[in-house]
Amino acid sequence: MRTQADHSPPQSAGRRLDLDWIRIGAFGLLILYHTGMLYVSWGFHVKSTHRLRELEPLMLLLNPWRMALLFLVSGAATRFMLGKYEVGVLARRRSAQLLIPLAFGMLVVVPPQSWAEVVETLGFSGGYLDFWFGHYLAFDQSFCRLENGRQVCIILPTWNHLWFVAYLWLYTVVLAGLLALAPNLAARAEPLLERALPGLLLLTVPALLLGLNRFLVFPAAPPTYIVVGDWYQHVLYGFCFLFGFLAARSQALAERTERLRWLALTLAVTAFLATLWLRAQPPGEFQRLVRPFVYGLDQWCWIIAILGFARRHLSRRDGPVRRNLVDAVFCWYIVHQTAIILAAHWLKPLALPVWQEAALIIAMTTLSCAASYEIARRISWLRPLFGIATDRRRRLPASGCQPSSASTTSS
């Protein structure tokens, strides 16, 4: 029978394979999640003619924690990079690895999403090149519609799903500034974090903080995805990014996530079921007071459960599959939503049955992402545009966890 010590990964190895796998899985979920957005009752850039209301509980299960987990893993990656690069070098390299794909994505990858959106929701009859040159690149803000009694306009140009890249760059630059002022920040804060979160406090204290964010900040500053004034998301994702940064090298915190994994999973499932029940109740004071803290518990316990189970089962799993996926995953992320939206737009006139349509969209998206990566990685000038490292010997991870000579890519 394996003991805890037998299962613990060697921290001195300077690599967290479990976090690599989490990153791969979290980005992989985006294809399924954004495909699901075509079929639920919530707004999206384009919609299928079909509605799958039974899909909504699964989407609600993923929504509270999926991006928060990515920011946490990204923070951990940043901590590992500090062992390899000085703060100034790290900030410059990360800026290049994030801002170049962001600019390319906004100019080339994202515009087809906006074109399909204005065609389907506003009846735009022009071709894509007409839209791209005459409207998108011209900063046209005239594509507006009434939504719930108010006018909503499509912002052009836009970053759509690439908001993650912009926010990740922002948090990295802010952290780099703090580290320039306080070079020993991580070394001093890590033991403080370990002492502050013993045992169950690792579950309850962050969950309470996230609940307070939902209770206090969310009503005044709900998500906007435009950086300015997006305080709820900055508190949420900034907290997760900083926690990942401070906890990345902590053996004590990693062991606690593993020990708490079953309790965290139980609490996460309970909080999720409570969230579904609360959503079905009429609005009132009880909802206003309780629901944000149940949501915070839901967010954080899923994250701890995933970290704990990954550490238990994935810390020693390595091989060509992981290495290839780590290299490809950011390129897939850049391409995936455009592929989903265009596939859905092109398939809509065929009026296919819902499961056939969804399967084709997923297949077309997967093939588009795979083809984009295989083409881009073979052409040197395309590699930085799609976030693929140009030097395989010195790849810098953006949300993977690798300070050693082995490699990951940015995200």
Side-chain angles (χ1 to χ4, degrees):
M1 181 177 179
R2 278 177 166 171
T3 65
Q4 177 72 22
D6 293 331
H7 229 316
S8 297
Q11 296 298 308
S12 61
R15 185 175 189 85
R16 292 285 301 273
L17 299 181
D18 53 336
L19 297 185
D20 272 351
W21 284 114
I22 288 173
R23 173 177 177 259
I24 291 166
F27 275 125
L29 275 176
L30 289 179
I31 292 178
L32 299 178
Y33 184 87
H34 286 140
T35 300
M37 287 296 294
L38 299 169
Y39 299 100
V40 294
S41 59
W42 318 318
F44 196 49
H45 305 288
V46 301
K47 302 294 289 187
S48 170
T49 57
H50 302 287
R51 289 294 176 270
L52 293 175
R53 300 302 291 264
E54 60 271 23
L55 188 61
E56 292 186 5
L58 180 59
M59 302 285 282
L60 290 171
L61 172 67
L62 300 175
N63 199 47
W65 53 263
R66 58 188 182 86
M67 297 306 299
L69 181 63
L70 273 176
F71 278 104
L72 188 147
V73 174
S74 300
T78 305
R79 176 70 181 280
F80 285 127
M81 290 178 223
L82 278 178
K84 188 174 181 181
Y85 302 102
E86 294 184 354
V87 173
V89 176
L90 171 62
R92 290 193 297 271
R93 289 178 64 90
R94 179 65 72 91
S95 294
Q97 290 190 322
L98 294 177
L99 294 183
I100 291 174
L102 177 61
F104 174 73
M106 291 179 66
L107 289 174
V108 177
V109 179
V110 170
Q113 299 180 31
S114 299
W115 170 74
E117 183 175 2
V118 299
V119 168
E120 293 204 6
T121 63
L122 298 172
F124 179 72
S125 59
Y128 174 69
L129 291 179
D130 175 34
F131 169 78
W132 190 45
F133 285 110
H135 301 276
Y136 188 89
L137 297 181
F139 290 75
D140 187 351
Q141 308 301 314
S142 65
F143 290 106
C144 302
R145 65 181 182 272
L146 285 178
E147 190 173 290
N148 298 323
R150 62 190 182 93
Q151 189 178 58
V152 176
C153 298
I154 299 174
I155 298 174
L156 301 177
T158 183
W159 50 43
N160 282 5
H161 67 295
L162 298 182
W163 69 269
F164 169 75
V165 181
Y167 281 47
L168 179 56
W169 174 79
L170 173 64
Y171 302 153
T172 302
V173 170
V174 171
L175 179 61
L178 292 175
L179 292 172
L181 296 174
N184 296 324
L185 174 66
R188 292 180 178 179
E190 180 183 314
L192 294 177
L193 190 66
E194 292 175 346
R195 290 195 295 270
L197 300 176
L200 292 178
L201 291 183
L202 179 59
L203 287 176
T204 56
V205 171
L208 178 61
L209 294 176
L210 295 181
L212 285 171
N213 183 41
R214 190 81 177 178
F215 179 73
L216 296 174
V217 183
F218 183 85
T224 64
Y225 301 96
I226 59 173
V227 179
V228 178
D230 200 6
W231 295 116
Y232 168 74
Q233 298 210 113
H234 288 321
V235 173
L236 169 60
Y237 298 133
F239 168 80
C240 291
F241 180 84
L242 183 61
F243 183 92
F245 175 79
L246 296 178
R249 291 187 176 275
S250 172
Q251 177 81 2
L253 291 173
E255 289 175 351
R256 287 173 206 169
T257 64
E258 187 174 353
R259 287 197 301 269
L260 292 169
R261 67 191 186 280
W262 284 109
L263 177 59
L265 179 61
T266 301
L267 290 174
V269 172
T270 302
F272 169 65
L273 294 176
T275 297
L276 293 182
W277 180 79
L278 288 167
R279 284 176 62 88
Q281 306 308 306
E285 190 67 8
F286 178 78
Q287 282 266 22
R288 187 183 72 84
L289 294 175
V290 173
R291 190 170 169 181
F293 296 96
V294 174
Y295 193 91
L297 187 68
D298 187 9
Q299 282 181 312
W300 189 249
C301 286
W302 280 113
I303 289 174
I304 294 297
I306 291 167
L307 291 172
F309 279 101
R311 186 176 191 274
R312 181 72 173 179
H313 298 291
L314 300 175
S315 292
R316 297 181 181 274
R317 293 188 180 274
D318 198 6
V321 172
R322 184 204 59 81
R323 290 190 289 272
N324 289 336
L325 289 175
V326 162
D327 194 36
V329 69
F330 188 44
C331 176
W332 282 52
Y333 162 72
I334 291 172
V335 172
H336 84 279
Q337 186 164 293
T338 297
I340 288 170
I341 288 173
L342 289 181
H345 178 67
W346 290 331
L347 289 174
K348 183 177 288 188
L350 301 180
L352 298 171
V354 58
W355 296 112
Q356 185 177 344
E357 179 187 83
L360 281 173
I361 290 172
I362 293 172
M364 292 168 69
T365 300
T366 302
L367 288 174
S368 297
C369 292
S372 297
Y373 171 68
E374 292 301 325
I375 293 170
R377 76 183 182 91
R378 288 170 166 79
I379 301 174
S380 59
W381 62 270
L382 283 179
R383 293 176 69 90
L385 301 180
F386 286 90
I388 304 171
T390 55
D391 185 347
R392 289 184 171 272
R393 294 168 300 175
R394 293 177 60 84
R395 292 180 195 148
L396 182 65
S399 61
C401 293
Q402 175 213 302
S404 65
S405 59
S407 57
T408 71
T409 186
S410 64
S411 66

